[in-house]
Amino acid sequence: MESFMRDDAHRLHSHIRSKIKLVLPHMKHTPVFSHRTAVEYWGSPAPNSTMEPLSLHVSAQQRDERPHTQGVNAHLWSGPLLTYMEDGFEVVRPEVCWAQMAQHCPLTTLITIAANFTCRDRKRKVSTLDDIIEYATVLKGFHGKRKCMEAIPFLIENTDSPQEALLAEFLIRHGFGKPVANFRVQLEGRACYLDISYPDLKIAFEYQGAYHANVDQMRRDMNKHNELMKRGWQIIYVTVEDFRNPAQLLDIIHGTVVQQHHLMGLKKVVR
């Protein structure tokens, strides 16, 4: 999974960088690429965005600084344009383009972009939740501020995939509290990482995408599951179908929480 996501991020970054290089000779001043272009430069897709995917997007702080180049959309941005400098151009930092995108995408997309920027993979991770939250919180009066503030309680760091981030959002939204992403558990001779979990209750959620349909991966998953069960963990497997029938998933979660509360309470009494 980590390698697959890393390859996707690298391809997206390289594609955007190549597009930028093509327009640079036609621009009079050093441009600051931003919004969707910056999101993709930092390796994250931006699904369901209202911004034109075929265009490049740049930001300026004054109207007369906006470039007029074919295939480039210019935006005014009154906030600090914190940038990373490349050869011949600049690109806004992840925390800046995250705030910029709030006006142009749904809440779930904003959540997954933040998760991609702050993922567990050190080669894909380009920001921290603290930086993302601080920039959006301190900056006043920008379009999308309200949506940023709405998204912040659902943001989670160190996930491996957007699906894990959306699973965490589902749990938080339904009152289960903020979970932990990729909690480390020591097994016999090796460690494993749980997609999303509540370690105090020993409840873990494993998102089952197509990646897990591989026979060898299924065998590893079952071995991991059995070892975790021996250590008192309850594992809830989640697929995209579960989000289409949330009532059933919520019943399973509620039942598991009640059971684990009871078992953990018994253990405390026995001790």
Side-chain angles (χ1 to χ4, degrees):
M1 168 68 78
E2 185 175 277
S3 176
F4 175 78
M5 297 292 293
R6 187 184 298 167
D7 289 345
D8 278 354
H10 178 71
R11 279 192 292 268
L12 186 55
H13 170 84
S14 297
H15 174 68
I16 291 300
R17 194 172 181 278
S18 295
K19 288 179 65 176
I20 289 173
K21 288 291 186 179
L22 286 175
V23 302
L24 282 181
H26 307 286
M27 306 188 79
K28 295 180 179 179
H29 306 289
T30 301
V32 177
F33 290 94
S34 62
H35 293 76
R36 180 172 184 152
T37 301
V39 169
E40 294 176 341
Y41 175 91
W42 293 114
S44 174
N48 303 316
S49 168
T50 59
M51 305 193 85
E52 174 56 54
L54 299 179
S55 297
L56 293 171
H57 299 271
V58 299
S59 282
Q61 294 187 305
Q62 303 293 333
R63 290 186 181 276
D64 57 4
E65 295 175 351
R66 292 179 299 175
H68 301 281
T69 305
Q70 187 174 0
V72 176
N73 287 343
H75 308 269
L76 285 175
W77 185 252
S78 59
L81 284 175
L82 310 178
T83 64
Y84 171 79
M85 298 193 68
E86 264 259 30
D87 183 22
F89 68 92
E90 296 180 60
V91 59
V92 298
R93 291 183 52 81
E95 56 268 30
V96 180
C97 60
W98 186 79
Q100 292 175 330
M101 287 301 293
Q103 182 186 2
H104 303 282
C105 67
L107 187 70
T108 53
T109 297
L110 205 59
I111 290 169
T112 58
I113 290 173
N116 286 330
F117 286 166
T118 63
C119 65
R120 182 167 67 108
D121 184 352
R122 292 183 180 181
K123 292 189 176 180
R124 286 197 298 125
K125 186 170 186 173
V126 293
S127 189
T128 66
L129 276 190
D130 286 345
D131 287 343
I132 286 172
I133 291 171
E134 181 180 8
Y135 185 86
T137 302
V138 171
L139 186 60
K140 301 183 186 303
F142 66 93
H143 293 297
K145 169 92 174 186
R146 181 177 297 179
K147 192 180 293 180
C148 286
M149 296 302 101
E150 184 182 351
I152 284 172
F154 301 106
L155 302 185
I156 185 168
E157 202 161 14
N158 294 325
T159 59
D160 282 335
S161 71
Q163 290 79 12
E164 292 175 15
L166 293 179
L167 174 56
E169 185 259 348
F170 177 86
L171 293 167
I172 297 167
R173 189 174 294 282
H174 287 91
F176 294 101
K178 181 166 283 193
V180 177
N182 283 298
F183 182 73
R184 186 181 188 274
V185 178
Q186 185 64 42
L187 303 179
E188 294 178 10
R190 66 188 178 96
C192 75
Y193 294 86
L194 306 176
D195 288 352
I196 298 294
S197 67
Y198 293 101
D200 289 347
L201 282 176
K202 288 194 170 182
I203 296 175
F205 300 83
E206 295 283 287
Y207 187 86
Q208 298 296 98
Y211 166 77
H212 292 273
N214 175 276
V215 174
D216 289 338
Q217 184 60 43
M218 288 175 66
R219 188 178 294 113
R220 287 192 292 271
D221 288 344
M222 290 308 299
N223 288 337
K224 170 181 166 182
H225 174 96
N226 291 337
E227 288 199 46
L228 287 167
M229 291 283 286
K230 283 166 54 179
R231 289 161 173 75
W233 283 85
Q234 289 293 324
I235 315 300
I236 299 174
Y237 291 98
V238 181
T239 70
V240 66
E241 292 297 324
D242 290 309
F243 292 111
R244 298 187 180 121
N245 186 11
Q248 179 175 308
L249 178 57
L250 286 170
D251 282 345
I252 293 170
I253 298 171
H254 277 294
T256 305
V257 168
V258 170
Q259 175 182 313
Q260 287 297 90
H261 267 297
H262 178 65
L263 290 174
M264 301 289 278
L266 282 179
K267 287 180 182 178
K268 290 177 182 177
V269 170
V270 171
R271 288 175 184 172

mmCIF file of all heavy atoms in Angstrom, residues 158-177:
data_model
loop_
_atom_site.group_PDB
_atom_site.id
_atom_site.type_symbol
_atom_site.label_atom_id
_atom_site.label_comp_id
_atom_site.label_asym_id
_atom_site.label_seq_id
_atom_site.Cartn_x
_atom_site.Cartn_y
_atom_site.Cartn_z
ATOM 1 N N ASN A 158 -0.908 10.848 10.111
ATOM 2 C CA ASN A 158 -0.239 9.540 10.050
ATOM 3 C C ASN A 158 -1.089 8.418 9.456
ATOM 4 O O ASN A 158 -0.859 7.240 9.756
ATOM 5 C CB ASN A 158 0.274 9.112 11.434
ATOM 6 C CG ASN A 158 1.368 10.021 11.939
ATOM 7 O OD1 ASN A 158 2.188 10.510 11.161
ATOM 8 N ND2 ASN A 158 1.366 10.288 13.230
ATOM 9 N N THR A 159 -2.058 8.738 8.607
ATOM 10 C CA THR A 159 -2.795 7.696 7.905
ATOM 11 C C THR A 159 -1.966 7.190 6.725
ATOM 12 O O THR A 159 -0.975 7.808 6.323
ATOM 13 C CB THR A 159 -4.141 8.214 7.379
ATOM 14 O OG1 THR A 159 -3.904 9.304 6.482
ATOM 15 C CG2 THR A 159 -5.041 8.683 8.515
ATOM 16 N N ASP A 160 -2.410 6.058 6.159
ATOM 17 C CA ASP A 160 -1.755 5.511 4.977
ATOM 18 C C ASP A 160 -2.553 5.755 3.705
ATOM 19 O O ASP A 160 -2.034 5.562 2.607
ATOM 20 C CB ASP A 160 -1.542 3.998 5.131
ATOM 21 C CG ASP A 160 -0.357 3.669 6.026
ATOM 22 O OD1 ASP A 160 0.552 4.517 6.145
ATOM 23 O OD2 ASP A 160 -0.348 2.578 6.612
ATOM 24 N N SER A 161 -3.830 6.142 3.845
ATOM 25 C CA SER A 161 -4.668 6.319 2.662
ATOM 26 C C SER A 161 -5.811 7.282 2.967
ATOM 27 O O SER A 161 -6.189 7.452 4.140
ATOM 28 C CB SER A 161 -5.250 4.974 2.206
ATOM 29 O OG SER A 161 -6.231 4.528 3.130
ATOM 30 N N PRO A 162 -6.391 7.890 1.929
ATOM 31 C CA PRO A 162 -7.552 8.766 2.137
ATOM 32 C C PRO A 162 -8.730 8.029 2.758
ATOM 33 O O PRO A 162 -9.503 8.614 3.523
ATOM 34 C CB PRO A 162 -7.885 9.245 0.720
ATOM 35 C CG PRO A 162 -6.619 9.107 -0.046
ATOM 36 C CD PRO A 162 -5.930 7.902 0.527
ATOM 37 N N GLN A 163 -8.875 6.726 2.442
ATOM 38 C CA GLN A 163 -9.981 5.955 2.996
ATOM 39 C C GLN A 163 -9.895 5.862 4.515
ATOM 40 O O GLN A 163 -10.907 5.907 5.222
ATOM 41 C CB GLN A 163 -10.001 4.545 2.388
ATOM 42 C CG GLN A 163 -10.393 4.499 0.929
ATOM 43 C CD GLN A 163 -9.249 4.876 -0.004
ATOM 44 O OE1 GLN A 163 -8.088 4.961 0.410
ATOM 45 N NE2 GLN A 163 -9.557 5.089 -1.271
ATOM 46 N N GLU A 164 -8.678 5.745 5.027
ATOM 47 C CA GLU A 164 -8.495 5.713 6.477
ATOM 48 C C GLU A 164 -8.912 7.053 7.093
ATOM 49 O O GLU A 164 -9.523 7.091 8.165
ATOM 50 C CB GLU A 164 -7.046 5.401 6.823
ATOM 51 C CG GLU A 164 -6.625 3.986 6.474
ATOM 52 C CD GLU A 164 -5.147 3.734 6.718
ATOM 53 O OE1 GLU A 164 -4.507 4.554 7.421
ATOM 54 O OE2 GLU A 164 -4.623 2.727 6.218
ATOM 55 N N ALA A 165 -8.583 8.151 6.425
ATOM 56 C CA ALA A 165 -8.965 9.478 6.921
ATOM 57 C C ALA A 165 -10.478 9.628 6.957
ATOM 58 O O ALA A 165 -11.041 10.206 7.896
ATOM 59 C CB ALA A 165 -8.339 10.560 6.052
ATOM 60 N N LEU A 166 -11.160 9.115 5.927
ATOM 61 C CA LEU A 166 -12.619 9.219 5.877
ATOM 62 C C LEU A 166 -13.270 8.287 6.899
ATOM 63 O O LEU A 166 -14.342 8.591 7.434
ATOM 64 C CB LEU A 166 -13.121 8.913 4.466
ATOM 65 C CG LEU A 166 -12.721 9.952 3.419
ATOM 66 C CD1 LEU A 166 -13.235 9.545 2.041
ATOM 67 C CD2 LEU A 166 -13.241 11.341 3.785
ATOM 68 N N LEU A 167 -12.640 7.166 7.189
ATOM 69 C CA LEU A 167 -13.137 6.284 8.240
ATOM 70 C C LEU A 167 -13.038 6.976 9.590
ATOM 71 O O LEU A 167 -13.970 6.920 10.407
ATOM 72 C CB LEU A 167 -12.342 4.979 8.237
ATOM 73 C CG LEU A 167 -12.621 3.982 9.364
ATOM 74 C CD1 LEU A 167 -14.100 3.615 9.421
ATOM 75 C CD2 LEU A 167 -11.760 2.732 9.182
ATOM 76 N N ALA A 168 -11.908 7.646 9.832
ATOM 77 C CA ALA A 168 -11.754 8.401 11.079
ATOM 78 C C ALA A 168 -12.803 9.504 11.169
ATOM 79 O O ALA A 168 -13.401 9.723 12.241
ATOM 80 C CB ALA A 168 -10.348 8.995 11.160
ATOM 81 N N GLU A 169 -13.052 10.188 10.057
ATOM 82 C CA GLU A 169 -14.071 11.247 10.038
ATOM 83 C C GLU A 169 -15.449 10.681 10.384
ATOM 84 O O GLU A 169 -16.219 11.274 11.137
ATOM 85 C CB GLU A 169 -14.087 11.899 8.647
ATOM 86 C CG GLU A 169 -15.023 13.091 8.530
ATOM 87 C CD GLU A 169 -16.342 12.743 7.854
ATOM 88 O OE1 GLU A 169 -16.448 11.651 7.269
ATOM 89 O OE2 GLU A 169 -17.278 13.561 7.928
ATOM 90 N N PHE A 170 -15.762 9.507 9.850
ATOM 91 C CA PHE A 170 -17.039 8.834 10.128
ATOM 92 C C PHE A 170 -17.176 8.549 11.622
ATOM 93 O O PHE A 170 -18.223 8.802 12.230
ATOM 94 C CB PHE A 170 -17.102 7.532 9.313
ATOM 95 C CG PHE A 170 -18.315 6.698 9.557
ATOM 96 C CD1 PHE A 170 -19.492 6.928 8.845
ATOM 97 C CD2 PHE A 170 -18.304 5.667 10.493
ATOM 98 C CE1 PHE A 170 -20.620 6.152 9.059
ATOM 99 C CE2 PHE A 170 -19.420 4.889 10.722
ATOM 100 C CZ PHE A 170 -20.590 5.130 9.997
ATOM 101 N N LEU A 171 -16.119 8.033 12.233
ATOM 102 C CA LEU A 171 -16.162 7.699 13.655
ATOM 103 C C LEU A 171 -16.320 8.942 14.524
ATOM 104 O O LEU A 171 -17.107 8.964 15.476
ATOM 105 C CB LEU A 171 -14.886 6.944 14.041
ATOM 106 C CG LEU A 171 -14.724 5.549 13.423
ATOM 107 C CD1 LEU A 171 -13.303 5.037 13.623
ATOM 108 C CD2 LEU A 171 -15.729 4.587 14.009
ATOM 109 N N ILE A 172 -15.582 9.983 14.199
ATOM 110 C CA ILE A 172 -15.665 11.231 14.974
ATOM 111 C C ILE A 172 -17.057 11.842 14.830
ATOM 112 O O ILE A 172 -17.671 12.272 15.817
ATOM 113 C CB ILE A 172 -14.587 12.224 14.510
ATOM 114 C CG1 ILE A 172 -13.190 11.664 14.772
ATOM 115 C CG2 ILE A 172 -14.757 13.573 15.217
ATOM 116 C CD1 ILE A 172 -12.070 12.419 14.077
ATOM 117 N N ARG A 173 -17.554 11.851 13.604
ATOM 118 C CA ARG A 173 -18.861 12.464 13.344
ATOM 119 C C ARG A 173 -19.980 11.749 14.104
ATOM 120 O O ARG A 173 -20.986 12.366 14.464
ATOM 121 C CB ARG A 173 -19.156 12.453 11.839
ATOM 122 C CG ARG A 173 -20.380 13.262 11.436
ATOM 123 C CD ARG A 173 -20.540 13.330 9.942
ATOM 124 N NE ARG A 173 -19.474 14.076 9.292
ATOM 125 C CZ ARG A 173 -19.398 15.400 9.257
ATOM 126 N NH1 ARG A 173 -20.332 16.131 9.844
ATOM 127 N NH2 ARG A 173 -18.396 15.999 8.643
ATOM 128 N N HIS A 174 -19.807 10.456 14.349
ATOM 129 C CA HIS A 174 -20.850 9.691 15.040
ATOM 130 C C HIS A 174 -20.571 9.533 16.529
ATOM 131 O O HIS A 174 -21.145 8.658 17.189
ATOM 132 C CB HIS A 174 -21.032 8.328 14.368
ATOM 133 C CG HIS A 174 -21.719 8.425 13.041
ATOM 134 N ND1 HIS A 174 -21.039 8.569 11.845
ATOM 135 C CD2 HIS A 174 -23.042 8.444 12.715
ATOM 136 C CE1 HIS A 174 -21.900 8.646 10.846
ATOM 137 N NE2 HIS A 174 -23.122 8.572 11.346
ATOM 138 N N GLY A 175 -19.696 10.376 17.046
ATOM 139 C CA GLY A 175 -19.562 10.498 18.487
ATOM 140 C C GLY A 175 -18.638 9.528 19.184
ATOM 141 O O GLY A 175 -18.692 9.396 20.415
ATOM 142 N N PHE A 176 -17.756 8.848 18.454
ATOM 143 C CA PHE A 176 -16.864 7.878 19.079
ATOM 144 C C PHE A 176 -15.536 8.496 19.527
ATOM 145 O O PHE A 176 -14.681 7.791 20.071
ATOM 146 C CB PHE A 176 -16.589 6.714 18.121
ATOM 147 C CG PHE A 176 -17.809 5.881 17.830
ATOM 148 C CD1 PHE A 176 -18.502 6.048 16.640
ATOM 149 C CD2 PHE A 176 -18.290 4.975 18.762
ATOM 150 C CE1 PHE A 176 -19.639 5.299 16.375
ATOM 151 C CE2 PHE A 176 -19.419 4.223 18.508
ATOM 152 C CZ PHE A 176 -20.103 4.377 17.313
ATOM 153 N N GLY A 177 -15.350 9.775 19.273
ATOM 154 C CA GLY A 177 -14.104 10.422 19.659
ATOM 155 C C GLY A 177 -13.034 10.256 18.600
ATOM 156 O O GLY A 177 -13.185 9.488 17.650
#
